[in-house]
Amino acid sequence: MSEPTDRREATVQRYSGLARLAVSGGTPLDCEAGAFTDGCFGSAAYADGDAPEMPEAALRASLGCGNPLAVADLRPGETVLDLGSGGGLDVLLSARRVGPTGRAYGLDASPDMLALARTNAEQAEAKNVEFLHGHIEDIPLPAAAVDVVISNCVVNLSTDKPAVLAEAFRVLVPGGRLGISDVIADDDLNRDQRIAAEQRIGCANGTLTAREYERLLRDVGFTSVRVTLTDDTGGGLHSAIVQALKPNDG
């Protein structure tokens, strides 16, 4: 088994354990508590009223580093895909925004997270959601299947980020939108400094710089690429919002 595959399986197992903890009533912590200086990780990233009447387990299992829905500009009738959907919070919130004529997909590699998400969807009585098992490097949807792709602190965990972004581009309709919350690194960090910072916060694996993110997105065909820093985690790492568009002729 190759090293990237080993790391991917270790990540799946880690998040499966966190899902089981949420089911048992515990509060999972992925990033080190206090890594984000304003406490803006997990469900704390959502402003009051952003997550009304959501199942408690979905809130406890929210392990992201931001709120991609704040920039996704979801509209009634749209189809949205959440890469690495975890306990399903962003999927359930997306489902409310796109309404009964829209649809929200969640994709996760952890069977335990998928079971938790489906339970949360039942409790929320969400009828326009579907949770898919698979890896974000190989999305089990046809081309041009969704209007919007979101993700919350998951792309940084992939060992093949170009494949993730290429897949996001493939499944978006022409004119589709990408809105990602993620952890990124300063351009001047060397490899050892980046690894040390990732180990400190605990929820990153091979972070990209803003410049690298922008280049990879443009390489696969995205336009209107923008990376906006949202929080300083220390050690040269930041949470950020990454936005891009698939051209209408894409």
Side-chain angles (χ1 to χ4, degrees), residues 18-224:
L18 294 174
R20 292 191 292 271
L21 178 60
V23 169
S24 68
T27 301
L29 285 178
D30 186 20
C31 293
E32 175 191 90
F36 292 80
T37 55
D38 62 0
C40 198
F41 66 99
S43 59
Y46 299 84
D48 291 344
D50 275 357
E53 301 175 4
M54 286 291 110
E56 183 182 348
L59 293 169
R60 286 201 308 270
S62 177
L63 301 171
C65 57
N67 178 3
L69 275 72
V71 296
D73 188 27
L74 298 180
R75 303 156 193 165
E78 289 189 320
T79 299
V80 58
L81 167 66
D82 182 17
L83 300 179
S85 49
L89 179 60
D90 286 331
V91 175
L92 297 179
L93 292 172
S94 296
R96 287 191 173 186
R97 294 197 181 189
V98 300
T101 61
R103 190 157 191 83
Y105 290 103
L107 173 64
D108 208 280
S110 164
D112 292 281
M113 277 294 184
L114 289 169
L116 173 60
R118 288 166 179 151
T119 297
N120 289 334
E122 289 178 7
Q123 291 180 4
E125 298 183 349
K127 307 299 184 184
N128 58 337
V129 304
E130 183 176 351
F131 290 97
L132 308 171
H133 181 254
H135 295 286
I136 61 176
E137 300 86 358
D138 186 16
I139 299 171
L141 286 173
V146 302
D147 300 290
V148 185
V149 171
I150 63 172
S151 186
N152 199 347
C153 207
V154 174
V155 176
N156 69 83
L157 295 170
S158 173
T159 57
D160 191 352
K161 296 172 180 63
V164 175
L165 300 178
E167 278 289 273
F169 186 88
R170 180 185 67 82
V171 300
L172 279 170
V173 299
R177 311 185 301 282
L178 178 78
I180 294 174
S181 293
D182 214 351
V183 175
I184 66 170
D186 285 340
D187 287 314
D188 58 357
L189 287 188
N190 62 39
R191 181 178 181 275
D192 290 341
Q193 290 172 324
R194 198 180 303 194
I195 291 173
E198 290 171 0
Q199 290 176 338
R200 179 184 63 80
I201 69 168
C203 57
N205 177 21
T207 48
L208 298 171
T209 67
R211 188 178 304 168
E212 290 167 342
Y213 235 127
E214 291 167 356
R215 176 179 56 80
L216 290 176
L217 285 164
R218 292 193 175 98
D219 283 350
V220 301
F222 282 105
T223 60
S224 300

